[in-house]
Amino acid sequence: MPASKELKNPFPFYVGSHSLHTLADKHTRVCVMNILGNESSVVTPVSHAYSGGNIVAGVHYGRSGHQLETSKGNIPVYGSVKEVINSGIEFDTGVIYLPPAAVNHAVSELCAHNELLEKIVILTEKISINDSKLIRYGCQLRKVDVFGGNCLGIANPWDHVRVGGALGGDKPEESLKKGSVAIYSNSGNFCTTISEYLKTSGFGISTILSSGKDVYIHFALAEFLYCAENDPRTKAIVVYIEPGGYYEKIALDWIAEGRFPFTKPIIACVTGRWKSNLTRACGHAGAMAGSGDDAQAKEAWFDQYFGVGLFNPAKPDVSERGVRISSIQDVPTAVSAVMKLIGEEPDFNPIGNLNLKPWFGNDQGINFSKNLSLQVVKAIEPYGQQIEVVSKLVGAQLSRESMRDKSGASMMNPATQVTELHGKPILELVDFPFAATCLFAITKEMPTKEQVPLINAISNYFVARGTRHIETAVKGRENGCTPNAYLAPEIMLQGTNPFFKELRTMSETLSELVFEDAGHDISVNDKLAQKLVKKDKLFGHNPADETEQKVADYLFALVKKTKQETIFTQFAQNYI
């Protein structure tokens, strides 16, 4: 292959890169703008380590003199690009992690102060059209290639280099295997997914470019295919395309016109048919539809170029130009078919497969056939070991999640910023006795002042009746446990014990019987009370012990004293 400088640029605009291998290689030296930001401070150390320490400096306005720690040594941070250059540091690539309004300024600063600048990678999404035009104009004059915006950068597994975002995730050396397939994707996340899928058919990566999907794609498909043609490592190209823009049609038309030679197969996945009726941005800023550049239109562009229809894994019909697939799950099969047609072997033995691999499974007691039941596999490390340890713990370790607003009973009032229970502010509930608020939480009705003494007595009875294991709580309190810790065992041990179940059954039965004759009127009714008592098999005849009898006498007296007699209390007294 001739040297890059000997190649003539075939485009009506400046393109400095002529091979995918040179988009990011072992010679690339990087300066990251906004290096201490939330995203960059996490991603940059991983990229720096994977690339062998290719990030020579960072810029963070107002933070000159700081450093970003990485496993390959600390990266110095400066307050401006000019400071970086004045310190004697040289770099050829700028990576921008700034908010949309600041990107144009950062591009201008990089171009103005660094004569060695060759490339700029912009991760920022939704840069304004006006700023994108200015960026394009300035970088064309300055002869600088721009990648993005809204991209995850570039990865070159052959040179073990990653420039920009998180291609390959936290462990790029595992996902990005050296190979013969180039990936061009409007979606940053799918870059890694496609590379993982390719491994299952034994194919690795030459170069990945996350093109981004803002309205302006500065390094688009035409430029990428031109560089792929001039890259001897690359034997085929996988492209992932979203609706919006005519970049793909321009690329295919230029190839047809012979603007630049192109002989390598393309496996194209066009997504987003559901956006065909939309006329505004959806998801990525450039993912527009309804103007002749929707998913169906783009599918037709590729099908015409390939000369074959949609790829069918059962009957893998492909052409030397490639094929269009309906889903990225078909990437391994389609690439294998195309490579076989052009006489290329896989890069390595297949790694893994695309079968579902659940770490947990529960068929809910249903006897499924073998091909339908979940076949649980051992989780990959370190998760497998963690699951094994948790499984050996005494008792079940329940997953924890915030219960805020789950029941609908409690919520934060957005206007007052005060928590409410059933619409009543907590600040008002503190004026009521504890027993009254407990009843309110269950029934949504606050008891009257006259009802409170009775409710308080009943609540105390339930507490005394249900605390047979109170010693556990007492011991916990003596040992300095928090209230939540020493009360939790007592509460959890209650479960649905026979006492509570019996009370619930009796209440439901009696309510239904009363409602048949009295409806919602629960006032004292001698005739109805006598009628109910005559049903002597209603609850059985379990004699009360002396203590229980004293409790009953006390509660009946309190009912009468507080004038809370109803058909229910009348029936209970008569029944006893």
Side-chain angles (χ1 to χ4, degrees):
M1 185 188 75
S4 297
K5 63 182 179 180
E6 297 174 0
L7 290 173
K8 182 181 178 181
N9 177 24
F11 301 107
F13 46 81
Y14 173 78
V15 176
S17 301
H18 298 280
S19 171
L20 292 185
H21 184 240
T22 61
L23 295 189
D25 59 27
K26 59 186 177 182
H27 303 295
T28 301
R29 292 296 175 265
V30 181
C31 176
V32 178
M33 307 293 287
N34 200 36
I35 191 170
L36 300 179
N38 290 339
E39 184 178 356
S40 173
S41 61
V42 174
V43 175
T44 297
V46 178
S47 298
H48 189 59
Y50 173 75
S51 306
N54 69 338
I55 301 173
V56 295
V59 171
H60 201 104
Y61 302 120
R63 302 284 292 276
S64 182
H66 285 69
Q67 293 184 329
L68 178 63
E69 294 183 3
T70 82
S71 61
K72 285 289 184 179
N74 297 342
I75 302 172
V77 179
Y78 297 86
S80 66
V81 174
K82 188 175 182 180
E83 276 189 39
V84 176
I85 301 301
N86 289 343
S87 71
I89 295 176
E90 296 182 349
F91 65 91
D92 55 80
T93 302
V95 173
I96 298 177
Y97 276 97
L98 286 159
V103 172
N104 183 33
H105 171 80
V107 170
S108 299
E109 188 180 2
L110 285 164
C111 291
H113 295 291
N114 184 9
E115 295 181 357
L116 302 177
L117 189 69
E118 297 177 359
K119 305 178 187 72
I120 294 176
V121 178
I122 304 174
L123 283 84
T124 309
E125 182 179 3
K126 296 182 181 177
I127 302 168
S128 73
I129 297 293
N130 187 56
D131 282 357
S132 292
K133 289 192 293 184
L134 293 173
I135 290 169
R136 181 74 177 176
Y137 177 74
C139 288
Q140 283 289 301
L141 287 179
R142 182 63 178 72
K143 297 191 182 306
V144 172
D145 285 332
V146 181
F147 301 87
N150 182 32
C151 80
L152 278 187
I154 310 162
N156 174 359
W158 283 63
D159 282 12
H160 225 259
V161 169
R162 183 176 86 175
V163 173
L167 294 175
D170 294 338
K171 295 183 178 180
E173 63 279 356
E174 294 182 2
S175 298
L176 309 180
K177 297 296 184 183
K178 170 183 172 182
S180 57
V181 180
I183 297 175
Y184 172 93
S185 175
N186 290 161
S187 165
N189 289 333
F190 276 134
C191 290
T192 302
T193 304
I194 293 170
S195 68
E196 286 284 358
Y197 282 15
L198 281 169
K199 286 160 51 179
T200 66
S201 59
F203 289 98
I205 310 302
S206 58
T207 293
I208 298 178
L209 173 63
S210 166
S211 70
K213 198 62 177 76
D214 266 357
V215 173
Y216 265 84
I217 299 178
H218 293 277
F219 201 93
L221 184 60
E223 295 94 295
F224 186 85
L225 295 180
Y226 164 70
C227 289
E229 179 69 15
N230 298 326
D231 179 20
R233 306 167 311 150
T234 299
K235 307 301 180 184
I237 301 97
V238 173
V239 301
Y240 179 86
I241 304 299
E242 295 176 347
Y246 289 85
Y247 295 103
E248 299 80 25
K249 185 172 188 344
I250 291 171
L252 298 176
D253 285 350
W254 281 353
I255 291 172
E257 294 169 7
R259 181 179 289 272
F260 62 88
F262 186 75
T263 59
K264 299 179 180 180
I266 301 170
I267 294 85
C269 180
V270 180
T271 187
R273 274 179 169 253
W274 61 275
K275 296 178 180 177
S276 60
N277 296 322
L278 302 179
T279 56
R280 59 183 298 178
C282 185
H284 290 175
M288 308 288 286
S291 303
D293 57 349
D294 58 15
Q296 288 92 328
K298 294 194 175 192
E299 289 171 357
W301 302 340
F302 280 105
D303 288 348
Q304 183 178 1
Y305 174 77
F306 295 137
V308 294
L310 179 66
F311 181 71
N312 180 357
K315 297 179 180 180
D317 184 21
V318 300
S319 76
E320 290 187 354
R321 287 188 167 189
V323 70
R324 179 174 63 85
I325 58 178
S326 60
S327 169
I328 60 170
Q329 70 184 23
D330 292 330
V331 164
T333 309
V335 169
S336 296
V338 169
M339 289 294 209
K340 182 178 180 180
L341 181 66
I342 64 175
E344 294 290 342
E345 297 293 327
D347 301 317
F348 44 75
N349 291 327
I351 301 173
N353 57 65
L354 297 185
N355 293 337
L356 183 66
K357 306 176 186 69
W359 297 349
F360 307 94
N362 187 345
D363 290 331
Q364 302 295 325
I366 302 173
N367 187 22
F368 290 113
S369 61
K370 185 176 180 180
N371 61 333
L372 290 178
S373 62
L374 290 174
Q375 303 298 318
V376 177
V377 301
K378 181 176 173 57
I380 60 175
E381 300 303 336
Y383 310 109
Q385 185 177 1
Q386 292 171 353
I387 292 170
E388 187 176 341
V389 170
V390 170
S391 298
K392 291 180 179 178
L393 296 178
V394 177
Q397 179 163 322
L398 304 177
S399 60
R400 303 188 65 176
E401 61 176 305
S402 172
M403 294 304 294
R404 181 184 177 199
D405 297 341
K406 291 285 185 177
S407 67
S410 63
M411 64 169 288
M412 175 72 76
N413 186 312
T416 63
Q417 291 297 298
V418 175
T419 302
E420 295 182 350
L421 179 65
H422 297 314
K424 190 176 286 291
I426 293 295
L427 297 179
E428 294 181 16
L429 292 176
V430 297
D431 293 331
F432 292 88
F434 177 72
T437 56
C438 287
L439 184 72
F440 175 69
I442 297 171
T443 66
K444 303 182 184 180
E445 294 183 10
M446 185 61 71
T448 64
K449 184 178 180 181
E450 293 75 21
Q451 293 171 330
V452 168
L454 180 61
I455 292 169
N456 191 52
I458 294 173
S459 298
N460 278 291
Y461 170 68
F462 281 152
V463 171
R465 182 71 166 73
T467 53
R468 294 175 178 175
H469 305 282
I470 196 65
E471 296 85 359
T472 306
V474 172
K475 190 66 176 177
R477 184 165 58 181
E478 290 175 353
N479 289 341
C481 297
T482 63
N484 277 352
Y486 65 69
L487 289 176
E490 174 61 32
I491 294 170
M492 294 182 72
L493 284 170
Q494 297 307 313
T496 53
N497 67 51
F499 177 60
F500 293 152
K501 290 173 68 175
E502 188 177 5
L503 284 178
R504 187 178 295 113
T505 301
M506 296 168 89
S507 299
E508 291 174 354
T509 302
L510 191 57
S511 296
E512 291 174 3
L513 290 172
V514 170
F515 187 78
E516 290 177 7
D517 293 287
H520 294 286
D521 182 9
I522 61 171
S523 59
V524 174
N525 186 326
D526 292 330
K527 185 178 179 179
L528 178 56
Q530 291 174 9
K531 176 182 177 182
L532 294 174
V533 170
K534 288 180 181 179
K535 296 187 177 184
D536 58 352
K537 294 183 180 180
L538 195 60
F539 299 124
H541 294 279
N542 295 323
D545 59 31
E546 185 178 349
T547 302
E548 294 293 317
Q549 187 61 55
K550 288 181 179 179
V551 171
D553 292 341
Y554 172 78
L555 291 177
F556 286 135
L558 189 58
V559 165
K560 190 171 184 178
K561 180 179 178 181
T562 57
K563 298 180 180 179
Q564 298 301 312
E565 295 168 298
T566 66
I567 181 61
F568 297 111
T569 63
Q570 187 182 17
F571 163 77
Q573 196 162 12
N574 291 346
Y575 198 85
I576 290 176

